[in-house]
Amino acid sequence: MIKQDKEEAILSALNESQREAVEYCTGPSLVIAGAGSGKITTAKEAQHLYMGTFHSIFARILRHEGEAIGFGSNFTIYDENDSRSLIKSIVKALDLDEKTYKPASVHNFISMAKNHLITASEYAEDRAAIERDRSARMPAIHMIYKAYEARCRQANAMDFDDILLYTFLLFRDNKEIRAKYGQQFEYILVDEYQDTNYAQVSIISQLAETHRCICVVGDDYQSIYSFRGANIDNILDFKHKFDDAKLFKLERNYRSTQLIVQAANSLMKHNERQIPKDVFSKEAEGDKILYKPCYSDREEAMVVANELKRIKRNDDCDYGNFAILYRT
């Protein structure tokens, strides 16, 4: 009875769209949650759940199951500096031009391959990849990748991209292990789905094979990480991958004034591919938006400082009354 009362208290705090999304638990679902639409409120209370980032969850699994793919449970996880240092030593050992094969550039090539689930041996046989490297005047990338993979294995180490690659290979090549975790992950919830990459979605699809109760939450309007390998098609094409998926739209914005939401809508409607939605606000109409283009960080700082001075002078307020919000 206490549990029912608690559940009803949580559900009664939701609007109709949020409640529909929360109560649907019988199959795949896509929740399109616009900015400020209350998606955190929509997520159910979490106790005793397996939760974390992709990398933290998959690293935990690899600690338990890594021996099946040749890694000890105490493997080291290399950060970016470790990876680039290793690449630098491999470039030197292969007697390659260090100015041509810069560690950061080589690491990006290898990272891109891993995030498309391409191993070193597969990369060496990929004619398109080899030709692309030749065009970039870096034809030895496949040799460096092969040496890098071997050196990591020798040291019982993985980099961040390996955590995704080896989790996929673990599940692909070990049906019993995949079935065990597929059974364990009866319900799967993925947040910020618009920022997922090919490897992450491939692993999630492996885990969702058994129960198919996967709920992904995101907003195609907020996809900004393509430079890190995020693929907007993952959210746009979710219903093609799970053709029985139910779509829920959280369209009310609780954060912004009407004019801000209308301005955002007018810009986003120009996206060539999108999931149609009509975001709205019931807040006040709000002040008109000021658009002030700046051509450098210094000019931007000057414009903001001058605006603060103007408002402080006109409204007779303190600098402590201001806040500057920015995204990097």
Side-chain angles (χ1 to χ4, degrees):
M1 186 67 181
I2 294 174
K3 185 181 178 183
Q4 284 183 330
D5 290 344
K6 199 171 185 181
E7 285 182 1
E8 187 52 43
I10 292 170
L11 292 172
S12 63
L14 306 176
N15 66 34
E16 187 178 343
S17 299
Q18 292 171 334
R19 182 161 183 153
E20 285 179 4
V22 167
E23 291 183 319
Y24 183 75
C25 300
T26 55
S29 62
L30 169 60
V31 181
I32 296 299
S37 60
K39 65 177 178 179
I40 294 174
T41 305
T42 306
K44 293 179 193 176
E45 192 172 80
Q47 286 184 349
H48 312 298
L49 296 184
Y50 213 117
M51 59 194 297
T53 64
F54 283 111
H55 288 84
S56 67
I57 290 174
F58 297 156
R60 222 182 308 171
I61 291 172
L62 288 170
R63 296 280 184 205
H64 288 290
E65 314 290 351
E67 287 186 8
I69 53 172
F71 284 90
S73 61
N74 62 336
F75 62 83
T76 302
I77 298 177
Y78 284 169
D79 63 19
E80 200 169 80
N81 289 333
D82 296 325
S83 297
R84 292 182 180 183
S85 178
L86 177 55
I87 288 169
K88 187 176 182 178
S89 69
I90 291 170
V91 168
K92 195 171 184 179
L94 293 174
D95 199 25
L96 297 169
D97 183 359
E98 293 181 35
K99 291 183 179 178
T100 301
Y101 293 93
K102 294 178 181 176
S105 302
V106 175
H107 189 227
N108 286 340
F109 275 87
I110 295 174
S111 178
M112 191 183 302
K114 288 180 179 181
N115 280 308
H116 284 85
L117 303 175
I118 300 170
T119 63
S121 57
E122 290 168 338
Y123 192 93
E125 295 172 5
D126 187 332
R127 290 184 180 180
I130 300 301
E131 188 55 43
R132 186 174 60 245
D133 294 345
R134 281 201 189 107
S135 299
R137 298 183 180 179
M138 301 171 74
I141 291 288
H142 68 285
M143 295 168 58
I144 302 171
Y145 186 5
K146 203 163 189 177
Y148 179 82
E149 185 182 271
R151 293 271 290 271
C152 284
R153 276 192 171 277
Q154 189 179 16
N156 192 35
M158 298 185 191
D159 62 24
F160 286 112
D161 299 313
D162 284 328
I163 291 172
L164 300 180
L165 173 62
Y166 285 123
T167 301
F168 174 80
L169 296 177
L170 172 73
F171 291 151
R172 187 195 70 183
D173 300 336
N174 298 272
K175 292 182 180 179
E176 302 82 6
I177 294 175
R178 184 173 77 235
K180 180 176 86 171
Y181 285 95
Q183 193 66 37
Q184 182 177 337
F185 286 83
E186 184 176 356
Y187 297 97
I188 298 173
L189 171 66
V190 185
D191 194 14
E192 304 292 3
Y193 197 71
Q194 76 279 354
D195 293 329
T196 54
N197 65 23
Y198 177 77
Q200 292 163 342
V201 168
S202 298
I203 299 167
I204 289 300
S205 297
Q206 289 174 321
L207 288 172
E209 280 178 0
T210 305
H211 296 289
R212 289 180 63 79
C213 287
I214 175 172
C215 172
V216 302
V217 184
D219 182 10
D220 53 307
Y221 282 2
Q222 297 185 62
S223 179
I224 61 172
Y225 288 113
S226 59
F227 69 96
R228 288 186 186 168
N231 188 348
I232 187 68
D233 292 337
N234 291 340
I235 193 167
L236 294 176
D237 297 335
F238 181 79
K239 293 197 74 177
H240 296 306
K241 187 177 283 287
F242 295 92
D243 53 12
D244 57 337
K246 194 160 183 179
L247 175 65
F248 300 94
K249 298 180 184 179
L250 308 185
E251 296 174 303
R252 180 177 175 182
N253 181 300
Y254 288 88
R255 183 188 302 160
S256 304
T257 59
Q258 293 179 28
L259 282 175
I260 288 177
V261 171
Q262 288 166 15
N265 281 340
S266 69
L267 291 172
M268 294 303 183
K269 295 300 180 186
H270 292 286
N271 288 356
E272 289 182 11
R273 291 189 68 210
Q274 60 178 275
I275 297 170
K277 64 185 79 66
D278 186 20
V279 181
F280 66 93
S281 171
K282 290 186 178 179
E283 304 302 307
E285 184 179 62
D287 296 335
K288 288 184 177 180
I289 295 171
L290 296 178
Y291 172 60
K292 297 192 175 186
C294 301
Y295 298 96
S296 71
D297 54 348
R298 287 177 176 274
E299 184 182 355
E300 182 179 33
M302 195 163 22
V303 167
V304 172
N306 287 338
E307 184 67 9
L308 295 184
K309 286 180 182 177
R310 185 189 67 79
I311 297 172
K312 181 178 182 295
R313 184 175 61 251
N314 291 348
D315 294 359
D316 192 27
C317 56
D318 298 321
Y319 284 123
N321 297 124
F322 293 95
I324 300 173
L325 307 181
Y326 62 95
R327 167 172 272 171
T328 59

